[in-house]
Amino acid sequence: MEQRILEQIDALLRTAHSDGRHTLYEHEVYGLLALIGLETPVFRYVTHADQVSDTLIAPFGGKDIMVKVVSRDLAHNQRYGGVKKVSIADPLFIRYVLTQMQNEVLSHFPEGEKPRIDGFLLIEFIQFTQAIGDEIMIGFQEDPSFGTVVTLSKGGDDAEFFAKYYDPANLLVAPITLLDAQALLGNLNIRHKYRDMGRPERLTQIASAVTALSELGLAYSMASGRSPAFCLKALDLNPLVFAKDGRFVAVDGYAEFAPAEGGAALGGEPDETGLSRFFEPRGVVVTGVSTDPGKYSMARNIVSLLLDLGRDDIYCVNPKGGETVIGGRAFPLYRDIGEIDHPYDLLVYAAPGQYSIPFVASVPEGKGVILISGIPADMNYPQFAREIAAVRKPNVRVIGPNCMGVFAAPRVGQQGVNTLFIEENRLTIPLAERSNVALLTQSGAMSITCIERNQQTAIFRTIVSFGNKVDVNIPDLVAYFDHDPKTDVIAIYAEGVGAGEGRQFFNLLRQAHKPVIVYKSGRTEAGAKAAASHTAAMSGSYEVFRAACLQGGCILTEELDDFYNYTKAFGVLSRHPARGCRVAGVVNAGLEATMGADILRELQPAAFTPETVEVLKTLNTHGLVNVETPFLDLTPMTDDPLYARFIEAVLADPNVDCLFVGIVPHVDTLKTVEENYLDADAIGQLLVQAFRKTQKPVIVSVNAGRHYQALVRYLEENGLPVFSDIRSAIRSLDAFAAYWSRKWPAT
């Protein structure tokens, strides 16, 4: 936005602020809109009725006008008779109407409570119809986590009713380019009406207004980066109308502002400083280690897990001192960390929460701290965060409190870390060379569930249970793992986002090099309260969070099962990115072929080449397969080798970008039970061989129970994501193909 415009807006806001107001009068809103290029009605403002003259009303050209009482004390003038239409262009009559209108408004209030009448506004009466699409509501609000969020929805008196019971408002996080706005409008159903009316230019008019308001909101946001003197907290234009003379006019406007002094700027760059200490530490200190092996001790479990990784640089702290034995090894117990004369990078605090603040105060510069314990009972989260910030020495990074900490797989030159404090015999974290997912979760329980659901796929290379985020937050971790060469996928379970954290996250999503999969709890009012009580952090508006994720290009999951499934699919298939969304299917049950076709979203049925159709015809020896459809039902008559040849033929088709395979394994024609699934001519063996020959993603559904789990395990251990139902398989493939095809559009 040009400097001269900013200076004029600053002057307007200063004037209103010096008048003791935090809202703008409607005529001031009109002036603001004119500065950013939006159309407003002809208007005149007077402080007294006797200021109305022939000269004042001349710009209205003798047409009807609306007159309004202007009062800082009234939010709804019309309720008290403060809005009227005047059809007689006579100054004396207009003065009379204004005087009578003032008296009527004041009559509604007892002596001592009467509102201050600041003046009167005369506005051109705009001719328009109230049909859907002729009046639009556009506005923005300052979100404490994301900054400026623009709203676009139906306008008029029933806008709130329409948004609640029909279509919710469309939200966009600023900055919004004209292309962003046009893309949004290109997906709204109202576009059909405009095109049928022969008025497609309306979409461009709305998009231009959205873009202008986005620029205004961001210029006066705490996320602006320019330290504005004032913050525009909200601006609502309800409605903007398509006038009968062709103009797109803001008829009614409201704006709220506040001085920006003392407010924290939103956004900025995430802080990756020192995060490697959590995942590649040289020496680990564990505080709270009990001397009694017969008593449950979270700290003892952590030491045992670190020993399982082969670490010999573990240092145990107990204020009583002495010695203890863990895993057959004797450990001296240091009374405090000042006694430790060995190098270390990471400290794990698993002692009572009431002592966590003095513990952090004792940590030397340049260390990483994991606070497993919760917030002291006599403190709330803001108090605790302030205390930690006050005592934390320079370059000390803190994960937690109220978390399980970190699991980091060993890598070359590093032995790994595991503070998840559940014994190995109760929770096994499978690892393989292909492990490539970083799971970032606010809930420790979520990390356990994800591990258990991926025992065969072994996808998790790193797990971070970060809890209350008193220091290290989601953007810090996303930035770190986006740069990690061993991480291909980032999966996030979030319960709340703090002030400014959302803006950082949004900025990161737009430039992330890797797929980011997100599930956020607290989507309903009850869920948000539950999340806040658990994490002691603000959950924020889910609608804004959702808008930021979708606009930022991440993979947002609305169902928890999708989060599990998509994480598996993206992790397992990371080396097989889809180049397009043309899909084919090979199944042995007609139900799965039909269901597969019914639930496609971004995926589109592939059209086989004539050459592929001919190959399929030669394979169709029993004549039961319809080779004209891309979803081939092979029927239970097909044996393993023939099944595999159909799969290979479909994968070889250049018109096929990805494939789903559905196996109902109960039939006698397939070798799928434990006794024969490893035979050289069994479908599992042949499917793995076909997958290794292709770069295309393949996803598998094995719709069966315990008798066939050996086959499922074999397929997953060999790099194929397997799901227990066709719906989960295809939804996962749909999300995967849609993401990668946007990255590499098919040619």
Side-chain angles (χ1 to χ4, degrees):
M1 187 171 291
E2 295 180 24
Q3 184 61 32
R4 63 176 183 82
I5 296 177
L6 293 173
E7 290 172 357
Q8 292 179 73
I9 296 173
D10 288 344
L12 188 155
L13 295 174
R14 273 197 304 272
T15 299
H17 182 250
S18 64
D19 193 30
R21 291 183 281 122
H22 59 84
T23 59
L24 296 181
Y25 293 137
E26 192 166 3
H27 63 278
E28 293 172 326
V29 175
Y30 288 154
L32 187 64
L33 299 180
L35 286 171
I36 65 171
L38 295 189
E39 190 99 29
T40 65
V42 175
F43 68 94
R44 291 293 184 270
Y45 172 69
V46 295
T47 55
H48 298 91
D50 57 12
Q51 292 175 327
V52 177
S53 64
D54 286 320
T55 302
L56 183 87
I57 65 173
F60 297 105
K63 297 180 181 178
D64 297 347
I65 61 173
M66 300 295 298
V67 293
K68 297 182 179 181
V69 164
V70 176
S71 170
R72 69 190 65 202
D73 301 325
L74 295 178
H76 302 286
N77 293 349
Q78 193 166 1
R79 179 185 303 173
Y80 305 106
V83 179
K84 295 186 183 300
K85 181 181 177 183
V86 179
S87 301
I88 301 174
D90 178 75
L92 289 176
F93 180 72
I94 295 173
R95 290 178 199 170
Y96 169 77
V97 170
L98 296 182
T99 302
Q100 291 299 108
M101 190 165 59
Q102 176 173 334
N103 293 336
E104 181 179 349
V105 169
L106 295 176
S107 71
H108 289 277
F109 299 89
E111 290 298 327
E113 298 181 18
K114 294 185 184 298
R116 171 177 169 177
I117 304 300
D118 295 294
F120 304 94
L121 185 61
L122 286 64
I123 312 170
E124 170 193 8
F125 179 73
I126 302 294
Q127 297 279 353
F128 71 99
T129 66
Q130 293 183 315
I132 289 179
D134 283 359
E135 50 182 354
I136 304 293
M137 183 178 77
I138 306 178
F140 62 74
Q141 287 192 326
E142 177 76 357
D143 183 89
S145 291
F146 291 91
T148 302
V149 179
V150 177
T151 305
L152 169 66
S153 66
K154 180 193 178 299
D157 293 340
D158 59 350
E160 291 185 11
F161 177 87
F162 191 88
K164 182 176 180 180
Y165 294 104
Y166 292 91
D167 290 322
N170 298 278
L171 303 180
L172 286 168
V173 178
I176 304 164
T177 66
L178 185 60
L179 289 176
D180 291 334
Q182 288 173 330
L184 169 68
L185 290 161
N187 289 318
L188 298 184
N189 290 327
I190 195 65
R191 72 187 190 279
H192 299 297
K193 178 176 181 178
Y194 293 152
R195 287 167 184 163
D196 289 347
M197 292 169 61
R199 303 300 298 271
E201 74 278 1
R202 286 190 173 185
L203 294 171
T204 301
Q205 289 175 288
I206 298 173
S208 297
V210 167
T211 304
L213 288 172
S214 160
E215 187 177 3
L216 171 65
L218 192 58
Y220 287 88
S221 165
M222 298 309 293
S224 68
R226 71 177 191 93
S227 300
F230 296 94
C231 177
L232 278 171
K233 309 295 287 185
L235 187 148
D236 289 318
L237 306 180
N238 183 21
L240 286 96
V241 304
F242 289 101
K244 291 186 176 180
D245 60 12
R247 291 178 294 163
F248 186 43
V249 188
V251 173
D252 202 352
Y254 168 86
E256 182 180 337
F257 70 96
E261 290 86 5
L266 300 184
E269 294 299 317
D271 187 1
E272 300 176 60
T273 305
L275 294 192
S276 61
R277 300 174 201 138
F278 296 103
F279 312 111
E280 302 175 4
R282 176 197 54 167
V284 182
V285 175
V286 182
T287 298
V289 178
S290 169
T291 58
D292 184 358
K295 178 183 177 182
Y296 174 76
S297 169
M298 191 182 297
R300 291 181 69 90
N301 284 353
I302 292 170
V303 172
S304 179
L305 292 170
L306 293 170
L307 283 172
D308 290 341
L309 291 168
R311 299 200 73 108
D312 57 3
D313 54 355
I314 308 165
Y315 312 106
C316 302
V317 175
N318 185 312
K320 297 178 181 179
E323 185 179 272
T324 191
V325 177
I326 303 175
R329 177 180 163 185
F331 286 91
L333 295 175
Y334 299 94
R335 294 179 186 277
D336 60 59
I337 59 178
E339 293 183 357
I340 302 172
D341 56 0
H342 303 281
Y344 62 88
D345 293 324
L346 177 62
L347 301 100
V348 183
Y349 183 81
Q354 67 196 77
Y355 307 117
S356 56
I357 292 173
F359 173 78
V360 172
S362 72
V363 174
E365 294 183 14
K367 307 296 182 184
V369 179
I370 297 174
L371 296 179
I372 301 290
S373 57
I375 294 170
D378 60 344
M379 283 191 172
N380 59 30
Y381 171 76
Q383 290 174 313
F384 184 78
R386 286 194 298 270
E387 291 284 345
I388 291 293
V391 303
R392 184 163 56 99
K393 292 184 178 66
N395 201 18
V396 169
R397 303 305 310 273
V398 179
I399 286 179
N402 190 24
C403 70
M404 293 182 72
V406 166
F407 167 79
R411 59 178 72 186
V412 177
Q414 296 293 331
Q415 293 173 302
V417 179
N418 188 359
T419 74
L420 300 188
F421 63 75
I422 297 179
E423 297 174 347
E424 177 73 19
N425 62 343
R426 291 178 178 268
L427 181 69
T428 300
I429 305 176
L431 282 175
E433 182 58 33
R434 65 179 181 273
S435 300
N436 62 352
V437 176
L439 173 65
L440 315 178
T441 170
Q442 200 152 5
S443 162
M446 170 61 77
S447 63
I448 296 170
T449 304
C450 286
I451 292 166
E452 290 291 3
R453 291 180 66 126
N454 286 279
Q455 286 294 298
Q456 281 78 246
T457 53
I459 57 175
F460 296 114
R461 175 162 291 277
T462 312
I463 298 169
V464 185
S465 163
F466 51 79
N468 291 115
K469 300 178 297 183
V470 74
D471 171 33
V472 176
N473 63 16
I474 295 173
D476 297 342
L477 292 166
V478 171
Y480 180 84
F481 288 107
D482 195 42
H483 298 145
D484 178 27
K486 292 289 188 178
T487 299
D488 295 325
V489 180
I490 300 169
I492 302 169
Y493 172 82
E495 292 176 348
V497 289
E501 187 180 10
R503 167 59 59 169
Q504 282 189 341
F505 183 55
F506 173 66
N507 291 341
L508 273 175
L509 288 179
R510 293 190 297 169
Q511 61 192 35
H513 301 92
K514 299 169 184 177
V516 179
I517 303 167
V518 179
Y519 179 86
K520 185 182 182 298
S521 62
R523 293 185 292 168
T524 64
E525 182 178 353
K529 289 179 179 178
S533 67
H534 176 241
T535 63
M538 183 186 63
S539 291
S541 164
Y542 178 74
E543 290 74 19
V544 174
F545 184 88
R546 181 179 186 275
C549 286
L550 296 178
Q551 194 178 337
C554 80
I555 303 98
L556 179 68
T557 60
E558 303 279 359
E559 298 179 18
L560 192 53
D561 274 344
D562 283 342
F563 178 73
Y564 297 132
N565 294 337
Y566 294 4
T567 300
K568 179 201 287 191
F570 275 81
V572 174
L573 293 174
S574 63
R575 292 174 175 80
H576 294 261
R579 301 294 175 139
C581 287
R582 299 170 300 178
V583 65
V586 180
V587 303
N588 66 337
L591 172 65
E592 298 209 330
T594 303
M595 287 183 62
D598 283 345
I599 62 177
L600 302 184
R601 294 177 178 177
E602 300 287 336
L603 289 173
Q604 302 166 353
F608 293 144
T609 65
E611 293 78 10
T612 299
V613 173
E614 290 305 312
V615 172
L616 296 176
K617 286 179 179 178
T618 63
L619 295 175
N620 190 18
T621 53
H622 48 53
L624 298 177
V625 182
N626 178 6
V627 299
E628 301 295 335
T629 173
F631 306 125
L632 303 177
D633 171 17
L634 304 188
T635 79
M637 301 293 292
T638 305
D639 63 13
D640 304 70
L642 185 56
Y643 213 127
R645 287 197 288 273
F646 271 105
I647 290 170
E648 290 172 345
V650 172
L651 282 173
D653 192 307
N655 289 347
V656 173
D657 298 312
C658 51
L659 175 70
F660 68 85
V661 175
I663 302 174
V664 178
H666 307 76
V667 295
D668 291 337
T669 52
L670 294 180
K671 295 182 176 182
T672 54
V673 295
E674 197 154 357
E675 292 77 17
N676 59 19
Y677 81 97
L678 289 178
D679 288 358
D681 61 346
I683 184 60
Q685 297 273 343
L686 298 173
L687 179 54
V688 167
Q689 292 171 22
F691 180 62
R692 288 174 177 168
K693 295 175 185 175
T694 183
Q695 292 299 309
K696 298 176 182 179
V698 178
I699 214 157
V700 183
S701 163
V702 178
N703 191 350
R706 60 185 179 84
H707 295 296
Y708 307 95
Q709 291 311 298
L711 170 63
V712 171
R713 183 170 58 252
Y714 173 79
L715 293 173
E716 292 202 321
E717 288 175 348
N718 282 276
L720 281 158
V722 182
F723 300 90
S724 59
D725 63 278
I726 198 70
R727 178 180 179 275
S728 296
I730 292 185
R731 283 173 65 90
S732 300
L733 182 59
D734 201 306
F736 182 83
Y739 174 84
W740 284 113
S741 62
R742 286 193 294 269
K743 292 289 184 179
W744 290 312
T747 56

